[in-house]
Amino acid sequence: MYGDEATIRRILTELGDTWAVVGLSSNPSRAAYGVARVLQRYGKRIVPVHPKAETVHGERGYASLADIPFDVDVVDVFVNSGLAGAVADEAVAKGSRAVWFQLGVVDTAAYERTRAAGLEMVMDRCPAIEIPLLSL
């Protein structure tokens, strides 16, 4: 399993509240839209990252992680597994503290690279499911 309970808790409670949500658009039928809203309810600042750079949930969007002009604590990845590794590498380059691959997003090589770079990482889990379980 790629993300034990201690790592999940650390990412959600200790590593910072600015979350770049890669793949987040203004489409309410997409999972990223609902998950970002849950993160906001728990006090996280979400930063939409999508090629269209749309404003979502009142937050300005950016076309890429590199375009964000401030630090990002966690990169939450809503792209398919074939693209997720490159996003994890961008998160490392950005100086993020953690990477979170959503349900169904798995890339073991990216997990190993990201962990080797010193970042926390969770794969194939959803913060919107995990955060209410923490009793915050």
Side-chain angles (χ1 to χ4, degrees):
M1 185 155 89
Y2 295 95
D4 58 65
E5 299 307 314
T7 301
I8 289 168
R9 178 173 286 280
R10 211 168 21 260
I11 292 172
L12 290 171
T13 64
E14 299 175 21
L15 295 186
D17 291 331
T18 301
W19 284 55
V21 183
V22 179
L24 175 57
S25 72
S26 61
N27 182 346
S29 68
R30 303 292 298 184
Y33 189 89
V35 170
R37 177 61 84 199
V38 171
L39 290 170
Q40 279 185 319
R41 267 186 269 157
Y42 280 88
K44 307 300 182 191
R45 176 185 182 192
I46 58 112
V47 182
V49 179
H50 188 279
K52 293 180 183 177
E54 299 173 300
T55 295
V56 183
H57 301 312
E59 294 287 347
R60 177 182 172 200
Y62 296 88
S64 71
L65 287 174
D67 290 341
I68 301 171
F70 48 83
D71 291 340
V72 170
D73 301 309
V74 181
V75 176
D76 190 6
V77 182
F78 279 92
V79 299
N80 71 52
S81 297
L83 301 173
V87 176
D89 295 339
E90 290 172 30
V92 170
K94 177 78 179 156
S96 300
R97 301 175 75 193
V99 174
W100 191 299
F101 280 8
Q102 282 294 325
L103 291 171
V105 181
V106 176
D107 181 333
T108 54
Y111 180 88
E112 297 302 329
R113 286 194 312 274
T114 302
R115 295 292 295 134
L119 282 70
E120 297 281 5
M121 186 162 178
V122 172
M123 265 191 330
D124 196 24
R125 302 288 284 267
C126 179
I129 293 170
E130 302 296 335
I131 201 166
L133 302 176
L134 298 178
S135 302
L136 299 177

